[in-house]
């Protein structure tokens, strides 16, 4: 099953150029051919991607991950993806029949069970265009309405299908069909697919009635079900699991690659880029570029058929290696309570890998050369990808900007802590250690990795580490995720009244 995993706000803004406010009737014939390729003024820029390095890094690292996508609900990037044949998906409904209009498919059983019996989340979506809107094909909440003792449908993919991720799924079904896509992927409290035609590429495995007590909000079973829903979603914090979705990072399209205005009109949230202030002509260019990528694969200025494009570079895997090496160590270095001896040892271990012990005999082995070795260590070599796409080049530039900042900070710490002058006093050493901690803290803030926001200690068996996921979660849980048993007061809704805690 081929998909396009798309951050919602990007498509909401880009798609609005031509499709805002259009609702397609389920029986409307779909265009059989894709539109012609359109020339664009804008193209992905390595310099722009490097300038927005942390945002690009996080977009790649968070793809199809519940935790990171919930922390960085930015909506700037589109990813083609593949779901293998034979993957199971789930749908909850008051009706036993297969839907005849575009509808949703959950990745997790517990997600679909929430809508096989019990009240739905409110209609709409989170601020900035996250998932969680009402299902298409009817009025808000039409198929997620109160359904006491409804049905849990289980579907299996029968062949390769292609999708796109956005909250206005009925409009988008009309939008994506010319490129051979069959629907969308979106994120809420759990990933789900909006499938445009349930009779195309899916087989119904079974549809069974859910016990009515699971819809009773006062029953113990209902309370346990709600917690188990969150637990099931939390199992996808780090990955969607079982190779159910593989992303084509080399053909991603991101507003972060383009020289457009991504300033959030909300001055209190500069950490969440938005396209609200972008010029309509720029949005049209990004939309045209997206259409080009969906129609043909762009490798520099050459165009080849999608079936001919080279294997995708696993950029998320690259970010995994970088985060795994540095995340916890940076937190340790940034902690002002870390003993000086431990601090010096950590800096020594992290930097010694890239320093030639015989450098005294090699004048060319300068600190700058060591920083370059450090920065490029995890980035794929040209030999592994002789035909990089524009996206490959943009992501590589962004990741190199991030690793260069990391390595430069660490080697500056090495200079301060490991190479002091013989006359340095204990006071100077303490001041150097404090400076290193402050620099590391600033680096942690700059990187803004979702891993930095994890619950500091593991949760008890009856609890789940929670972060706001539409429509659940509080403001406090966003800035300080915590363990929850699902019954404690969550505080003020993070979604500003458009969701529920």
């Amino acid at each position: 099953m081929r998909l396009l995993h798309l951050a919602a706000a990007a498509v909401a803004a880009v798609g609005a150029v031509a499709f805002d406010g259009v609702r397609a009737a389920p029986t409307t014939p779909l265009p059989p051919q894709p539109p012609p390729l359109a020339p664009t003024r804008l193209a992905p820029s390595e310099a722009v991607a490097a300038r927005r390095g942390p945002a690009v890094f996080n977009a790649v690292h968070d793809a199809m991950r519940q935790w990171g996508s919930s922390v960085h609900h930015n909506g700037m990037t589109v990813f083609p993806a593949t779901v293998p044949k034979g993957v199971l998906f789930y749908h909850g409904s008051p009706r036993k029949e297969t839907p005849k209009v575009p509808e949703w498919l959950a990745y997790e059983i517990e997600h679909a069970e929430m809508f096989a019996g019990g009240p739905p989340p409110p209609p709409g979506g989170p601020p900035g265009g996250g998932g969680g809107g009402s299902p298409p094909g009817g009025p808000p909440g039409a198929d997620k309405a109160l359904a006491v003792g409804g049905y849990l449908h289980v579907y299996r993919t029968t062949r390769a299908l292609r999708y796109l991720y956005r909250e206005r799924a009925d409009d988008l079904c009309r939008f994506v069909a010319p490129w051979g896509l069959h629907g969308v992927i979106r994120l809420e409290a759990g990933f789900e697919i909006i499938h445009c035609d349930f009779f195309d590429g899916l087989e119904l495995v079974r549809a069974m009635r859910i016990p009515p007590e699971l819809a009773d909000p006062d029953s113990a079973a209902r309370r346990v079900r709600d917690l188990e829903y969150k637990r099931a979603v939390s199992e996808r914090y780090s990955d969607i699991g079982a190779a159910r979705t593989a992303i084509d990072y080399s053909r991603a399209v991101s507003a972060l690659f383009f020289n457009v205005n991504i300033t959030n009109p909300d001055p209190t949230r500069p950490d969440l880029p938005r396209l609200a202030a972008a010029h309509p002509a720029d949005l049209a260019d990004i939309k045209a570029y997206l259409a080009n990528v969906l129609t043909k694969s762009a490798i520099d200025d050459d165009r080849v058929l999608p079936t001919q494009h080279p294997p995708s570079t696993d950029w998320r895997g690259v970010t995994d290696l970088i985060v795994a090496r540095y995340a916890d160590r940076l937190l340790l270095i940034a902690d002002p309570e870390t003993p000086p001896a431990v601090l010096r040892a950590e800096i020594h271990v992290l930097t010694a890998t890239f320093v030639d012990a015989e450098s005294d005999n090699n004048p060319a082995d300068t600190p700058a050369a060591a920083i370059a070795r450090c920065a490029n260590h995890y980035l794929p070599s040209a030999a592994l990808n002789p035909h990089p796409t524009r996206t490959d080049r943009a992501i590589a530039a962004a990741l190199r900007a991030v690793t260069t900042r990391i390595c430069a900070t660490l080697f500056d710490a090495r200079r301060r802590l490991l190479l002091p002058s013989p006359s340095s006093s204990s006071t100077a050493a303490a001041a150097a250690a404090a400076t290193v901690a402050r620099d590391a803290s600033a680096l942690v803030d700059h990187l803004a990795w979702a891993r930095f926001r994890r619950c500091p200690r593991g949760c008890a068996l009856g609890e789940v580490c929670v972060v706001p996921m539409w429509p659940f979660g509080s403001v406090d849980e966003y800035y300080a995720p915590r363990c929850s048993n699902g019954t404690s007061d969550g505080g003020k809704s993070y979604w500003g009244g458009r969701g529920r805690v």
Side-chain angles (χ1 to χ4, degrees):
M1 178 183 291
R2 293 184 58 91
L3 307 96
L4 194 63
H5 170 55
L6 174 63
V11 172
V14 173
V17 173
F19 294 93
D20 188 32
V22 177
R23 293 187 60 86
T27 58
T28 301
L30 297 174
Q33 298 295 328
L37 298 183
T40 64
R41 298 176 302 112
L42 295 178
S45 165
E46 295 173 49
V48 171
R51 189 168 71 246
R52 298 168 176 165
V56 175
F57 187 106
N58 289 330
V60 172
H61 186 63
D62 298 341
M64 289 303 295
R65 287 174 165 159
Q66 183 76 43
W67 184 265
S69 296
S70 298
V71 170
H72 301 124
H73 50 91
N74 289 330
M76 294 287 109
T77 307
V78 180
F79 296 98
T82 299
V83 171
K85 175 183 177 181
V87 174
L88 296 175
F89 290 98
Y90 311 95
H91 177 71
S93 172
R95 295 175 286 277
K96 188 173 185 178
E97 296 76 20
T98 295
K100 295 179 174 60
V101 296
E103 271 293 357
W104 55 272
L105 292 167
Y107 276 80
E108 312 305 327
I109 296 172
E110 295 83 355
H111 188 173
E113 284 179 333
M114 289 288 289
F115 303 112
S134 59
D143 204 33
K144 291 187 178 181
L146 178 63
V148 177
Y151 292 87
L152 175 67
H153 297 210
V154 180
Y155 294 91
R156 181 186 291 118
T157 59
T158 61
R159 59 182 176 82
L161 303 173
R162 309 201 308 164
Y163 295 88
L164 189 68
Y165 166 35
R166 183 198 177 190
E167 64 183 41
R168 287 286 302 279
D170 53 345
D171 292 353
L172 198 59
C173 283
R174 185 179 182 87
F175 174 59
V176 303
W179 293 284
L181 305 176
H182 295 80
V184 304
I185 295 180
R186 70 183 182 188
L187 173 73
E188 47 183 48
F191 285 97
E192 66 182 17
I193 289 175
I194 302 300
H195 195 74
C196 295
D197 184 353
F198 270 55
F199 297 93
D200 182 8
L202 296 175
E203 62 177 353
L204 177 63
V205 177
R206 61 182 178 272
M208 300 178 65
R209 184 178 289 277
I210 294 297
E213 58 266 23
L214 289 181
D216 181 359
D218 297 323
S219 71
R222 167 64 184 273
R223 290 192 293 272
V224 170
R225 186 202 69 176
D226 291 352
L227 176 62
E228 290 306 315
Y229 168 36
K230 293 183 180 180
R231 188 193 308 281
V233 171
S234 74
E235 291 294 329
R236 308 306 167 208
Y237 279 166
S238 61
D239 193 48
I240 198 61
R244 292 185 294 178
T245 303
I247 296 207
D248 183 353
Y249 299 97
S250 293
R251 294 202 301 146
V253 176
S254 178
L256 300 170
F257 301 161
F258 295 84
N259 190 24
V260 297
N261 189 342
I262 59 171
T263 303
N264 193 329
D266 180 356
T268 68
R269 295 306 304 270
D271 56 309
L272 298 177
R274 294 290 180 260
L275 292 172
H279 193 280
D282 292 339
L283 296 181
D285 276 350
I286 298 175
K287 178 187 172 186
Y289 186 85
L290 172 61
N292 290 347
V293 170
L294 294 179
T295 305
K296 294 184 178 181
S297 184
I299 303 177
D300 291 333
D301 291 329
D302 297 325
R303 306 288 181 177
V304 295
L305 294 177
T307 55
Q308 297 173 322
H309 67 78
S312 174
T313 299
D314 182 11
W315 289 110
R316 195 182 77 167
V318 175
T319 67
D320 285 348
L321 295 173
I322 296 167
V323 170
R325 178 171 175 84
Y326 295 114
D328 291 350
R329 288 164 162 176
L330 288 177
L331 290 177
L332 179 65
I333 295 169
D335 186 350
E337 301 300 318
T338 299
V342 174
L343 189 63
R344 287 192 296 271
E346 280 293 341
I347 294 298
H348 181 60
V349 169
L350 283 172
T351 58
T353 303
F354 308 105
V355 175
D356 186 353
E358 297 180 346
S359 59
D360 290 343
N361 301 321
N362 181 10
D365 193 33
T366 62
I371 291 173
R373 279 194 292 270
C374 172
N376 292 320
H377 181 73
Y378 289 115
L379 300 183
S381 68
L384 296 177
N385 188 7
H387 302 291
T389 64
R390 287 172 174 167
T391 295
D392 287 325
R393 296 179 190 276
I395 293 177
L399 267 58
R400 185 174 292 107
V402 167
T403 55
T404 298
R405 172 75 179 265
I406 293 171
C407 296
T409 301
L410 292 175
F411 272 88
D412 184 69
R414 176 186 177 90
R415 175 183 62 82
R416 294 178 183 276
L417 298 180
L418 304 183
L419 305 174
S421 65
S423 61
S424 295
S425 65
S426 59
T427 301
T435 298
V436 167
R438 286 196 301 270
D439 289 349
S441 180
L443 177 60
V444 167
D445 292 341
H446 174 73
L447 297 173
W449 289 343
R451 178 159 166 170
F452 294 147
R453 303 276 283 278
R454 296 185 309 185
C455 293
R457 289 171 292 276
C459 299
L461 289 178
E463 296 179 327
V464 174
C465 182
V466 293
V467 67
M469 298 173 286
W470 171 258
F472 308 107
S474 69
V475 172
D476 290 343
E477 288 168 345
Y478 182 80
Y479 294 102
R482 61 180 178 82
C483 296
S484 171
N485 62 10
T487 61
S488 58
D489 181 12
K492 180 182 178 182
S493 173
Y494 176 75
W495 306 108
R498 300 179 67 191
R500 67 166 185 249
V501 176

